[in-house]
Amino acid sequence: MALGLDVQPPETACTDANCPFHGTLSVRGQIAEGEVVSTDMEKTVVVEREYEVKVPKYDRFMKRRSRISAHHPPCMELAVGDTVRIAETRPLSKTKAHVVVERVER
């Protein structure tokens, strides 16, 4: 199944309906990259991404962090500390509107 992204599908298959590779979930919108900081929830990971914001008063940049809850398909093996790429989807729950599409590095 083609996602419209330049990512490799995982080798293992799954029966999750919300898997973008083996289910019917479509991806659209923004792509983000960050580090997995929590895998405590079932089928959900928390991805933290760091970015810089310009402070015009001091003409410098300030570091900010945001945490995004993303759906973790069972066909992908993820652990805390992995760098992943997530894509925006339709809302899956109250806090989840992203899905993990690729593990960049371990």
Side-chain angles (χ1 to χ4, degrees), residues 5-95:
L5 303 173
D6 190 24
V7 296
Q8 295 294 325
E11 290 84 22
T12 59
C14 67
T15 58
D16 187 13
N18 290 326
C19 179
F21 299 103
H22 307 109
T24 58
L25 187 69
S26 63
V27 297
R28 77 243 173 121
Q30 296 182 348
I31 309 293
E33 195 169 303
E35 182 180 343
V36 175
V37 292
S38 174
T39 59
D40 293 341
M41 294 175 277
E42 190 175 324
K43 293 188 181 179
T44 304
V45 293
V46 178
V47 178
E48 188 173 81
R49 59 186 212 88
E50 195 169 283
Y51 56 96
E52 293 184 344
V53 175
K54 185 168 174 67
V55 181
K57 180 177 179 180
Y58 301 112
D59 196 30
R60 296 206 171 111
F61 288 94
M62 177 173 58
K63 286 186 181 178
R64 290 259 173 103
R65 287 184 282 192
S66 68
R67 289 180 163 221
I68 301 168
S69 296
H71 182 68
H72 173 208
C75 58
M76 302 188 83
E77 299 291 328
L78 297 178
V80 175
D82 290 350
T83 303
V84 295
R85 190 167 288 132
I86 58 175
E88 189 177 1
T89 64
R90 64 176 174 80
L92 299 172
S93 71
K94 180 180 174 181
T95 58

